[in-house]
Amino acid sequence: MGETATVLSDRFQALLPQRLDMLRRATGLPVVFGGAVTPGRELLLSSFFGTHGRSLHGLRVGTGRGLGGTAIAMGTAVRVNDYASTRAITHEFDQMVVVDERLTSVFAYPVTVRGTVHGVLYGAVRGQTTVGDRAIRMAGAIAQGFAGDLDMPSLHTQAALRELAEVTRLIGDPALRERLRRVHQDLGGDPPVTVPSGLTPRELDTLRLAAVGSSNREIAAELGLSTETVKAYLRGAMRKLGVHNRTAAVHAARSTGAL
């Protein structure tokens, strides 16, 4: 159990900067940060965008403490409109959050894999504005995708499963090949994936980013494309999926298992 927790914590830390950048782009929030839950069940803040200083860097947050610890304890997103005055959380981190960073409205969204929280994504603003519902929805979509990535088998296991699948395809005996196929699936291997409706990898990339609320301009920046090329990919995906807008294309792609 401890080894698995360590592997997931390390994987979370490695993926976190990219997911936070996606969160920042999708929501437009000026401050995003986060961290993994350590094997000792402390939240360790490690990655930041938009913070003024380093007072939050390396901060350890216990379960039930502050905003992030409350999100871990509850297993759900927690938002406060005025961090300094809310009675919903403990306030031992006010010096860093309120005084040093001058954050006002803040949310903490837990990343949960099979019922266990493995990390937390934060978003925040300064001044009189508040974090809106759209930002929370975007954070939820990103947290869900993050959890899916964390729940994948280890790279070593994936390599072994690919090797088993290749061996299975080379077996001439149909009965033995079917037995090996069942073993492959029982061990967590997926059947050969055929991209539905002939969607290209770039069309899938644009749909994945559209699914978390990214605009055409944001998708273009993320993929290194022009906005016109992004529009062309989205039109191609919509045509192949038989729908007429990007939202419907995302739903159709999810329903067929492409996303």
Side-chain angles (χ1 to χ4, degrees):
M1 179 68 177
E3 183 178 357
T4 300
T6 300
V7 169
L8 283 174
S9 179
D10 291 345
R11 187 180 298 168
F12 189 101
Q13 297 280 18
L15 294 173
L16 180 59
Q18 190 270 344
R19 295 306 188 277
L20 287 176
D21 186 47
M22 184 180 291
L23 178 62
R24 178 178 61 86
R25 292 170 179 269
T27 61
L29 291 172
V31 182
V32 297
F33 56 98
V37 174
T38 68
R41 303 310 297 165
E42 284 185 313
L43 174 64
L44 175 62
L45 299 185
S46 62
S47 191
F48 306 83
F49 288 91
T51 50
H52 288 330
R54 297 186 58 84
S55 63
L56 291 173
H57 290 233
L59 183 67
R60 292 180 177 270
V61 179
T63 300
R65 314 309 298 172
L67 193 66
T70 300
I72 294 172
M74 296 176 61
T76 189
V78 181
R79 170 176 51 182
V80 295
N81 289 332
D82 184 0
Y83 190 101
S85 65
T86 183
R87 297 183 179 181
I89 61 172
T90 63
H91 285 278
E92 58 263 59
F93 308 116
D94 282 10
Q95 174 64 42
M96 292 80 89
V97 176
V98 179
V99 179
D100 297 342
E101 290 296 334
R102 302 198 301 276
L103 302 181
T104 51
S105 182
V106 189
F107 74 80
Y109 209 112
V111 178
T112 304
V113 178
R114 301 186 185 185
T116 300
V117 176
H118 288 281
V120 177
L121 306 178
Y122 291 81
V125 296
R126 299 182 176 96
Q128 300 302 310
T129 59
T130 58
V131 174
D133 292 341
R134 179 181 178 278
I136 301 296
R137 290 195 299 270
M138 292 300 100
I142 291 169
Q144 184 177 8
F146 201 167
D149 290 338
L150 291 172
D151 202 24
M152 293 169 61
S154 69
L155 294 178
H156 178 77
T157 301
Q158 291 181 60
L161 287 170
R162 285 195 299 269
E163 182 69 17
L164 178 57
E166 182 62 26
V167 170
T168 300
R169 283 192 292 270
L170 296 175
I171 295 296
D173 184 334
L176 178 57
R177 187 168 60 246
E178 177 59 23
R179 286 176 63 189
L180 288 174
R181 187 193 64 79
R182 287 198 297 268
V183 170
H184 178 262
Q185 289 189 302
D186 288 344
L187 290 173
D190 295 322
V193 175
T194 301
V195 178
S197 305
L199 293 173
T200 67
R202 274 306 196 194
E203 287 168 346
L204 286 170
D205 288 340
T206 57
L207 287 176
R208 288 190 184 100
L209 291 170
V212 297
S214 297
S215 67
N216 288 348
R217 181 177 297 178
E218 290 167 339
I219 294 172
E222 184 73 20
L223 299 180
L225 305 171
S226 70
T227 55
E228 290 304 314
T229 301
V230 169
K231 291 177 184 177
Y233 283 136
L234 288 172
R235 285 195 298 268
M238 288 186 282
R239 183 179 67 255
K240 292 173 183 178
L241 292 166
V243 296
H244 301 290
N245 61 63
R246 60 194 284 157
T247 301
V250 168
H251 289 317
R254 280 177 173 160
S255 68
T256 56
L259 294 182

